[in-house]
Amino acid sequence: MSKKISLADWQQQLAGAAATEHSMANPPAKTAQADLVYSTAGGRIKAEQSEALQGERYADGALRIKRETKGRGGKTVLTITGLTGTTAELTTLCTELKKKCACGGAVKDGVIEIQADKREFVAELLQQKGYKVKQAGG
């Protein structure tokens, strides 16, 4: 059976044990990890990196607007490829197109997906922004 002790007694025992261990040990040498920060969030703290460009530009410089239904449960989705830019730039353009089309959408791997079948309308919007647009697929 364990003996019950109060919190104050336990803290006093820990303080005494730590003091004896500290006095017996050699002082720690300064290491390169002295400024290491530990967190429960996981991983090391990384230095800020510049955001990489996403998407692929076609040789002719035109954007491709393609209507897709395959693998999407029969739902029609427009995919816009040929854009290059940071994630923030592509997301901003996607948000603007979603608002104008009154539909949903997302940016995935540098491709903008719009959840509507409004190819002509989206092509006009992109041309007004100064992009060269081609309709691809059926």
Side-chain angles (χ1 to χ4, degrees), residues 56-118:
E56 295 179 14
R57 183 173 294 264
Y58 291 108
D60 62 357
L63 303 182
R64 303 293 198 277
I65 299 177
K66 184 177 179 183
R67 184 179 64 200
E68 294 182 3
T69 56
K70 193 170 187 176
R72 300 180 188 274
K75 307 280 184 185
T76 302
V77 176
L78 291 181
T79 57
I80 303 169
T81 57
L83 283 166
T84 56
T86 63
T87 304
E89 292 170 345
L90 294 178
T91 304
T92 303
L93 180 61
C94 180
T95 303
E96 187 176 334
L97 291 173
K98 290 189 309 185
K99 286 180 183 177
K100 299 276 183 166
C101 293
C103 62
V107 177
K108 295 181 181 173
D109 300 324
V111 177
I112 296 178
E113 297 179 353
I114 303 293
Q115 299 172 348
D117 187 10
K118 299 183 178 183

Side-chain angles (χ1 to χ4, degrees), residues 65 96-97 100-101 118-135:
I65 299 177
E96 187 176 334
L97 291 173
K100 299 276 183 166
C101 293
K118 299 183 178 183
R119 284 194 297 180
E120 291 81 19
F121 184 66
V122 171
E124 286 177 24
L125 291 173
L126 291 171
Q127 286 173 349
Q128 289 172 1
K129 291 192 135 310
Y131 293 105
K132 183 179 172 187
V133 178
K134 287 186 177 181
Q135 293 188 10

